[in-house]
Amino acid sequence: MSLLELDGVKVHFPVKKGLFFDRTVGHVYAVDGVSLSVEAGQTYGLVGESGCGKTTLGRAVLRLNDITDGAVVFDGTDLAKLPSEEMRSFRRRLQMVFQDPLGSLNPRQNIESILSEGMAAHNIGKDQAERREKIKEILAKVGLPSNAMSRYPHEFSGGQRQRIGIARALVLEPDVIICDEPVSALDVSVQAQVINLLEELQESLGLTYLVIAHDLAVVRHISDVIGVMYLGGLVEEAPSDALYAGPRHPYTKALMSAVPVPDPEVEDRRERILLHGDLPSPANPPAGCRFHTRCPWVQETKCATERPPLLDTGDGHKVACHFTAEIEAGTVKQTLATGIEAVVATEAVAAEAVEVSEGDAEVPDAPAKTEEPATVPAQADAGEAERAEESPKA
Amino acid sequence: MALLSVEELSVTFTARGRKDATAVDGVSFDVDQGQVVGLVGESGCGKSVTSLALMGLLPRKGVRIGGRAEFDGQNLLGISERKLRDMRGSQLAMIFQDPLSSLNPVVPIGIQVTEILQRHRGLKGEKARKEAASLLDRVGIPDPDRRLKEYPHQLSGGMRQRALIAMAVACAPRLLIADEPTTALDVTIQAQILELLKELVDQEGTALLMITHDLGVVAGLCDEVNVLYAGRAVESAGRRELFAHPTHPYAHGLLGSIPRLDAPRGEPLNPIRGSINDKIAWADGCAFAPRCDHYTMECLTGTPELTEPRAAGHQVRCVNPVLPKAEVPA
């Protein structure tokens, strides 16, 4: 039995229009049927690009967003259906570390006050003196001096602020910490400090993490299991090493090939899979496989009509693609180019690109482009659409 | 003769009643025709201010600029605003980090692109519109005729950045300055934009000054790399040399602290301790000394000179560079 289990979780935000009557004119399908399980003492990494719903999913676990459908089972209790009063007591055991370390700390509260607020709310410690002892101990654990207690957030550097955010979660002695982009606001040299801290804390306190990040390298470094999200759903889930050694879903392949590696030798050798266009809007996701509008291996059958389920292909490696086996065996052809043609050649110059690529063995024999319908919905800024609780004037 | 040759560029912000803040403290580098040169560093190292100074985009008041920046025989830091206006867009162009705030939100994309064509190439009306459409097409924006009529908010982040690139290359500039062009974008979109930039540089022979914090981007794109710390270049070398033999403790530490997608898992990272706030003025010694593992008293005796301890053309500003133990003569 896993410590935290998500079953078919959906979070849909209504899109409202109208001045007096809030007519619901559609939904943003931020998270659309995600099932995953996090084992105690492990780290589950959730990666995906902006707008894929990873943050919404993390917040939904804590019920900071309403869950439209599905179950979030934590230690045997379904949080999704819990009355808010009872949910509050569960929040002690499930804590969150936010992305923006300055934005998530109240500028007018000193560190002692920030850290003891949650303790008081959950009746930890008899009096302030006892809480102060505990805070001192935690501050030492996260590598902050004890005189930090009387100081204010603006007096700290970015890395130190993130340590405060981690300390705030730790004082409540949680079982699970959800880290939403814990290091993306930090400089690389400081990033490493915080990543190491998270790992040390996990080891000494036996914490369970759900890490949400867009940086595949960071996630791979700290996670035991990685789930890759695309447009509200998981497309692939695998143990960290297996995912890196052999990504199976076309999206994961493209994502991994796009991550720059700080080594010229590697950069020069490897082949990039460039995707066409941008992320479609989660308010109007494509039918069938969500990725079919950009997938280099899109096939005429199934892809546009049937949504592939996340299926185990062995060794806990789960993939949501109709043609995983066929792509690996090479029996289905690549239908969209993945070289520079994907970036510069549009309809008007497509003919030219074909000519250029004829002598180029890299492109398989069907570079004639399938039209890309609705690849780029006009208003699609997917990142904004995710947050579009109010009408995004779609 | 290099196309752009920057010598001892320094930028100091002054304000009455406050201590002067030196953002750039003597940066020198060259950019040749058709070359991609990278300026890498973390926030606060002065990389963006360097680019703004080169484009003449810093405010006139409250800023003291020193040094020289020869572009095609002219000192960019000394020429008149009128002349600079002629050069910006036609000879020099810039791509900014945040594509949304660098485009005018209340003007359609088309007008913003044709404006440059009118100003520098004298194109008008239908001709300008046609050229603008072909520019958008060139950078991979589908259906350019429709996009020209749209406003920036109607485009996605990747497309806005493409539109900005289209504007930047509209007059075939000889030097393109890209300030964190992909930082605001997702990795798959970043890959598209980087390939596009690479292609433009290859085809047009444009020189590119790439400013970024991402060493991965540098590794794939730049010919020459300058690592900046606290307003000074601490290490400059060809990209292969730099990544194979990072010699300044800062560059060395930086590469050791990045989790790599292709590295074996399970080993802890080696972070650099402290933060950028723990620095001393370059005039007193090495600004990196308080965070450095190799630090000795020698580091506090004035600015270290640039030396070439490893290979010709690989310059390092350090008195105790990281050298492999095997190479130390017995």
Side-chain angles (χ1 to χ4, degrees), chain A residues 99-141:
Chain A
Q99 169 171 12
D100 176 5
L102 188 57
S104 59
L105 299 171
N106 186 337
R108 294 172 183 237
Q109 273 182 299
N110 64 23
I111 305 309
E112 180 185 343
S113 156
I114 288 173
L115 296 187
S116 57
E117 201 173 13
M119 299 173 83
H122 289 287
N123 300 318
I124 297 174
K126 279 197 303 291
D127 49 18
Q128 191 61 22
E130 204 179 308
R131 285 183 205 127
R132 203 172 290 149
E133 277 312 301
K134 170 92 185 164
I135 290 173
K136 256 187 205 154
E137 185 193 314
I138 297 287
L139 284 179
K141 263 201 188 116

Short mmCIF file of all heavy atoms in Angstrom, two decimals, chain A residues 99-141:
data_model
loop_
_atom_site.label_atom_id
_atom_site.label_comp_id
_atom_site.label_asym_id
_atom_site.label_seq_id
_atom_site.Cartn_x
_atom_site.Cartn_y
_atom_site.Cartn_z
N GLN A 99 7.40 27.62 -5.09
CA GLN A 99 8.43 28.01 -6.04
C GLN A 99 9.12 29.31 -5.68
O GLN A 99 10.34 29.39 -5.64
CB GLN A 99 7.78 28.15 -7.42
CG GLN A 99 8.70 28.79 -8.44
CD GLN A 99 8.13 28.72 -9.83
OE1 GLN A 99 6.97 28.38 -10.02
NE2 GLN A 99 8.94 29.02 -10.80
N ASP A 100 8.31 30.33 -5.43
CA ASP A 100 8.87 31.66 -5.25
C ASP A 100 9.11 31.89 -3.76
O ASP A 100 8.18 32.11 -3.01
CB ASP A 100 7.89 32.69 -5.80
CG ASP A 100 8.36 34.11 -5.56
OD1 ASP A 100 9.48 34.27 -5.06
OD2 ASP A 100 7.61 35.03 -5.86
N PRO A 101 10.37 31.82 -3.33
CA PRO A 101 10.62 31.86 -1.89
C PRO A 101 10.27 33.21 -1.27
O PRO A 101 9.91 33.26 -0.10
CB PRO A 101 12.10 31.54 -1.76
CG PRO A 101 12.69 31.66 -3.11
CD PRO A 101 11.59 31.68 -4.11
N LEU A 102 10.34 34.28 -2.03
CA LEU A 102 9.99 35.56 -1.44
C LEU A 102 8.48 35.75 -1.40
O LEU A 102 7.91 36.19 -0.42
CB LEU A 102 10.66 36.71 -2.21
CG LEU A 102 10.53 38.08 -1.56
CD1 LEU A 102 11.08 38.06 -0.14
CD2 LEU A 102 11.22 39.14 -2.37
N GLY A 103 7.83 35.38 -2.48
CA GLY A 103 6.39 35.57 -2.58
C GLY A 103 5.62 34.72 -1.59
O GLY A 103 4.49 35.04 -1.24
N SER A 104 6.22 33.62 -1.12
CA SER A 104 5.46 32.75 -0.23
C SER A 104 5.78 33.00 1.24
O SER A 104 5.33 32.27 2.10
CB SER A 104 5.71 31.28 -0.59
OG SER A 104 7.07 30.98 -0.50
N LEU A 105 6.57 34.03 1.52
CA LEU A 105 6.83 34.39 2.91
C LEU A 105 6.27 35.79 3.17
O LEU A 105 6.50 36.70 2.37
CB LEU A 105 8.35 34.40 3.19
CG LEU A 105 9.09 33.07 2.99
CD1 LEU A 105 10.58 33.28 3.08
CD2 LEU A 105 8.64 32.04 4.01
N ASN A 106 5.56 35.94 4.24
CA ASN A 106 4.98 37.25 4.55
C ASN A 106 6.09 38.23 4.92
O ASN A 106 6.83 38.00 5.88
CB ASN A 106 4.00 37.09 5.71
CG ASN A 106 3.24 38.37 6.00
OD1 ASN A 106 3.70 39.46 5.66
ND2 ASN A 106 2.09 38.24 6.61
N PRO A 107 6.22 39.33 4.18
CA PRO A 107 7.33 40.25 4.42
C PRO A 107 7.28 40.93 5.79
O PRO A 107 8.28 41.46 6.26
CB PRO A 107 7.20 41.27 3.29
CG PRO A 107 5.79 41.20 2.86
CD PRO A 107 5.37 39.78 3.08
N ARG A 108 6.12 40.95 6.42
CA ARG A 108 6.00 41.65 7.70
C ARG A 108 6.11 40.74 8.90
O ARG A 108 5.96 41.16 10.04
CB ARG A 108 4.66 42.37 7.76
CG ARG A 108 4.60 43.48 6.75
CD ARG A 108 3.22 44.04 6.71
NE ARG A 108 3.16 45.05 5.69
CZ ARG A 108 2.80 46.31 5.91
NH1 ARG A 108 2.45 46.69 7.11
NH2 ARG A 108 2.79 47.17 4.93
N GLN A 109 6.30 39.46 8.66
CA GLN A 109 6.46 38.55 9.78
C GLN A 109 7.92 38.15 9.89
O GLN A 109 8.56 37.89 8.86
CB GLN A 109 5.65 37.28 9.52
CG GLN A 109 4.20 37.37 9.96
CD GLN A 109 3.50 36.06 9.71
OE1 GLN A 109 3.41 35.61 8.57
NE2 GLN A 109 3.01 35.43 10.76
N ASN A 110 8.44 38.08 11.10
CA ASN A 110 9.80 37.58 11.20
C ASN A 110 9.77 36.06 11.13
O ASN A 110 8.71 35.44 11.13
CB ASN A 110 10.52 38.12 12.44
CG ASN A 110 9.89 37.65 13.73
OD1 ASN A 110 9.20 36.62 13.75
ND2 ASN A 110 10.13 38.37 14.81
N ILE A 111 10.97 35.48 11.05
CA ILE A 111 11.03 34.05 10.77
C ILE A 111 10.39 33.24 11.89
O ILE A 111 9.68 32.26 11.66
CB ILE A 111 12.50 33.63 10.54
CG1 ILE A 111 13.12 34.48 9.43
CG2 ILE A 111 12.60 32.16 10.19
CD1 ILE A 111 12.32 34.55 8.15
N GLU A 112 10.61 33.66 13.12
CA GLU A 112 10.02 32.92 14.24
C GLU A 112 8.50 32.90 14.11
O GLU A 112 7.85 31.85 14.26
CB GLU A 112 10.41 33.57 15.57
CG GLU A 112 9.81 32.82 16.75
CD GLU A 112 10.07 33.50 18.09
OE1 GLU A 112 10.97 34.36 18.14
OE2 GLU A 112 9.38 33.18 19.05
N SER A 113 7.95 34.05 13.78
CA SER A 113 6.51 34.15 13.67
C SER A 113 5.98 33.31 12.50
O SER A 113 4.97 32.61 12.62
CB SER A 113 6.14 35.63 13.51
OG SER A 113 4.92 35.76 12.87
N ILE A 114 6.72 33.34 11.37
CA ILE A 114 6.31 32.53 10.21
C ILE A 114 6.30 31.05 10.56
O ILE A 114 5.36 30.32 10.27
CB ILE A 114 7.27 32.78 9.02
CG1 ILE A 114 7.04 34.17 8.44
CG2 ILE A 114 7.07 31.73 7.93
CD1 ILE A 114 8.04 34.57 7.37
N LEU A 115 7.37 30.62 11.25
CA LEU A 115 7.49 29.19 11.52
C LEU A 115 6.57 28.72 12.64
O LEU A 115 6.13 27.58 12.64
CB LEU A 115 8.94 28.83 11.86
CG LEU A 115 9.97 29.05 10.75
CD1 LEU A 115 11.32 28.51 11.16
CD2 LEU A 115 9.54 28.39 9.46
N SER A 116 6.28 29.60 13.61
CA SER A 116 5.47 29.12 14.74
C SER A 116 3.98 29.20 14.45
O SER A 116 3.18 28.59 15.16
CB SER A 116 5.81 29.89 16.02
OG SER A 116 5.63 31.26 15.82
N GLU A 117 3.60 29.91 13.40
CA GLU A 117 2.18 30.06 13.10
C GLU A 117 1.51 28.69 12.86
O GLU A 117 0.47 28.38 13.43
CB GLU A 117 2.02 30.95 11.87
CG GLU A 117 0.65 31.57 11.78
CD GLU A 117 0.55 32.58 10.65
OE1 GLU A 117 1.47 32.62 9.80
OE2 GLU A 117 -0.44 33.32 10.62
N GLY A 118 2.16 27.92 12.00
CA GLY A 118 1.60 26.60 11.70
C GLY A 118 1.60 25.70 12.92
O GLY A 118 0.66 24.93 13.15
N MET A 119 2.66 25.80 13.73
CA MET A 119 2.74 24.97 14.93
C MET A 119 1.60 25.29 15.88
O MET A 119 0.98 24.39 16.45
CB MET A 119 4.09 25.18 15.63
CG MET A 119 5.27 24.81 14.78
SD MET A 119 6.83 25.27 15.56
CE MET A 119 7.08 23.89 16.64
N ALA A 120 1.33 26.58 16.05
CA ALA A 120 0.24 26.97 16.95
C ALA A 120 -1.09 26.46 16.41
O ALA A 120 -1.93 25.95 17.16
CB ALA A 120 0.22 28.49 17.09
N ALA A 121 -1.26 26.56 15.09
CA ALA A 121 -2.53 26.13 14.50
C ALA A 121 -2.75 24.64 14.69
O ALA A 121 -3.88 24.19 14.83
CB ALA A 121 -2.54 26.47 13.01
N HIS A 122 -1.67 23.87 14.70
CA HIS A 122 -1.82 22.43 14.85
C HIS A 122 -1.50 21.95 16.27
O HIS A 122 -1.27 20.76 16.49
CB HIS A 122 -0.93 21.70 13.84
CG HIS A 122 -1.42 21.84 12.43
ND1 HIS A 122 -2.51 21.19 11.96
CD2 HIS A 122 -0.97 22.59 11.40
CE1 HIS A 122 -2.72 21.51 10.69
NE2 HIS A 122 -1.79 22.37 10.33
N ASN A 123 -1.46 22.89 17.21
CA ASN A 123 -1.21 22.56 18.61
C ASN A 123 0.08 21.76 18.82
O ASN A 123 0.10 20.74 19.50
CB ASN A 123 -2.38 21.77 19.21
CG ASN A 123 -3.65 22.57 19.13
OD1 ASN A 123 -3.64 23.78 19.40
ND2 ASN A 123 -4.73 21.94 18.73
N ILE A 124 1.13 22.20 18.18
CA ILE A 124 2.42 21.56 18.42
C ILE A 124 3.17 22.43 19.43
O ILE A 124 3.31 23.64 19.23
CB ILE A 124 3.22 21.44 17.11
CG1 ILE A 124 2.46 20.54 16.13
CG2 ILE A 124 4.61 20.88 17.38
CD1 ILE A 124 3.08 20.47 14.77
N GLY A 125 3.62 21.84 20.49
CA GLY A 125 4.33 22.59 21.53
C GLY A 125 3.35 23.23 22.50
O GLY A 125 2.31 23.76 22.10
N LYS A 126 3.70 23.18 23.79
CA LYS A 126 2.80 23.73 24.82
C LYS A 126 2.73 25.24 24.76
O LYS A 126 1.68 25.84 24.78
CB LYS A 126 3.31 23.32 26.22
CG LYS A 126 2.92 21.91 26.63
CD LYS A 126 3.06 21.71 28.11
CE LYS A 126 4.44 21.98 28.68
NZ LYS A 126 5.47 21.01 28.28
N ASP A 127 3.89 25.86 24.69
CA ASP A 127 3.91 27.32 24.68
C ASP A 127 4.98 27.80 23.68
O ASP A 127 5.66 26.99 23.06
CB ASP A 127 4.22 27.86 26.08
CG ASP A 127 5.42 27.15 26.68
OD1 ASP A 127 6.18 26.54 25.90
OD2 ASP A 127 5.61 27.20 27.90
N GLN A 128 5.09 29.09 23.56
CA GLN A 128 6.00 29.65 22.57
C GLN A 128 7.45 29.24 22.85
O GLN A 128 8.22 29.02 21.92
CB GLN A 128 5.86 31.18 22.55
CG GLN A 128 6.56 31.87 21.39
CD GLN A 128 6.03 31.44 20.02
OE1 GLN A 128 4.92 30.95 19.88
NE2 GLN A 128 6.86 31.59 19.00
N ALA A 129 7.79 29.12 24.13
CA ALA A 129 9.17 28.75 24.47
C ALA A 129 9.52 27.39 23.91
O ALA A 129 10.60 27.18 23.35
CB ALA A 129 9.35 28.77 25.99
N GLU A 130 8.57 26.48 24.03
CA GLU A 130 8.82 25.14 23.54
C GLU A 130 8.92 25.14 22.01
O GLU A 130 9.76 24.46 21.43
CB GLU A 130 7.69 24.22 24.00
CG GLU A 130 8.10 22.77 24.05
CD GLU A 130 6.97 21.88 24.55
OE1 GLU A 130 6.40 22.18 25.62
OE2 GLU A 130 6.65 20.92 23.85
N ARG A 131 8.03 25.93 21.39
CA ARG A 131 8.07 26.02 19.93
C ARG A 131 9.40 26.60 19.47
O ARG A 131 9.97 26.17 18.48
CB ARG A 131 6.93 26.92 19.43
CG ARG A 131 5.59 26.25 19.50
CD ARG A 131 4.50 27.14 18.94
NE ARG A 131 3.24 26.74 19.56
CZ ARG A 131 2.41 27.57 20.17
NH1 ARG A 131 2.68 28.86 20.23
NH2 ARG A 131 1.32 27.12 20.72
N ARG A 132 9.87 27.59 20.25
CA ARG A 132 11.12 28.24 19.86
C ARG A 132 12.27 27.24 19.85
O ARG A 132 13.11 27.25 18.96
CB ARG A 132 11.41 29.39 20.83
CG ARG A 132 12.32 30.44 20.23
CD ARG A 132 12.42 31.64 21.14
NE ARG A 132 11.19 32.41 21.20
CZ ARG A 132 10.78 33.10 22.26
NH1 ARG A 132 11.49 33.10 23.37
NH2 ARG A 132 9.66 33.79 22.23
N GLU A 133 12.28 26.36 20.83
CA GLU A 133 13.30 25.32 20.88
C GLU A 133 13.28 24.47 19.61
O GLU A 133 14.30 24.21 18.99
CB GLU A 133 13.06 24.40 22.10
CG GLU A 133 13.62 24.95 23.38
CD GLU A 133 15.06 25.43 23.23
OE1 GLU A 133 15.91 24.60 22.86
OE2 GLU A 133 15.33 26.64 23.44
N LYS A 134 12.07 24.09 19.26
CA LYS A 134 11.87 23.23 18.09
C LYS A 134 12.33 23.97 16.81
O LYS A 134 13.00 23.40 15.95
CB LYS A 134 10.37 22.91 18.01
CG LYS A 134 9.95 22.24 16.75
CD LYS A 134 10.00 20.74 16.87
CE LYS A 134 9.68 20.11 15.53
NZ LYS A 134 10.05 18.73 15.46
N ILE A 135 11.97 25.25 16.73
CA ILE A 135 12.34 26.04 15.55
C ILE A 135 13.85 26.13 15.43
O ILE A 135 14.42 25.97 14.34
CB ILE A 135 11.70 27.45 15.63
CG1 ILE A 135 10.19 27.34 15.45
CG2 ILE A 135 12.27 28.37 14.56
CD1 ILE A 135 9.43 28.62 15.66
N LYS A 136 14.49 26.34 16.56
CA LYS A 136 15.96 26.42 16.56
C LYS A 136 16.57 25.16 15.99
O LYS A 136 17.49 25.19 15.17
CB LYS A 136 16.46 26.62 18.00
CG LYS A 136 16.89 28.04 18.28
CD LYS A 136 17.54 28.14 19.64
CE LYS A 136 17.39 29.56 20.15
NZ LYS A 136 17.40 29.63 21.61
N GLU A 137 16.01 24.05 16.43
CA GLU A 137 16.52 22.75 16.00
C GLU A 137 16.35 22.58 14.48
O GLU A 137 17.26 22.14 13.78
CB GLU A 137 15.70 21.70 16.76
CG GLU A 137 16.10 20.27 16.59
CD GLU A 137 14.99 19.38 17.16
OE1 GLU A 137 14.50 19.66 18.28
OE2 GLU A 137 14.60 18.45 16.45
N ILE A 138 15.17 22.98 13.99
CA ILE A 138 14.89 22.83 12.55
C ILE A 138 15.77 23.79 11.74
O ILE A 138 16.31 23.42 10.70
CB ILE A 138 13.40 23.10 12.26
CG1 ILE A 138 12.52 22.08 12.96
CG2 ILE A 138 13.14 23.11 10.76
CD1 ILE A 138 12.54 20.69 12.38
N LEU A 139 15.94 25.01 12.23
CA LEU A 139 16.77 25.97 11.51
C LEU A 139 18.18 25.44 11.35
O LEU A 139 18.80 25.58 10.29
CB LEU A 139 16.80 27.33 12.23
CG LEU A 139 15.54 28.19 12.09
CD1 LEU A 139 15.69 29.49 12.88
CD2 LEU A 139 15.24 28.50 10.64
N ALA A 140 18.68 24.80 12.41
CA ALA A 140 20.02 24.21 12.32
C ALA A 140 20.04 23.12 11.25
O ALA A 140 20.99 22.99 10.49
CB ALA A 140 20.43 23.65 13.67
N LYS A 141 18.95 22.35 11.19
CA LYS A 141 18.87 21.26 10.21
C LYS A 141 18.93 21.77 8.78
O LYS A 141 19.51 21.14 7.91
CB LYS A 141 17.56 20.49 10.41
CG LYS A 141 17.74 19.26 11.25
CD LYS A 141 16.61 18.29 11.02
CE LYS A 141 16.72 17.17 12.03
NZ LYS A 141 15.60 17.13 12.97
#
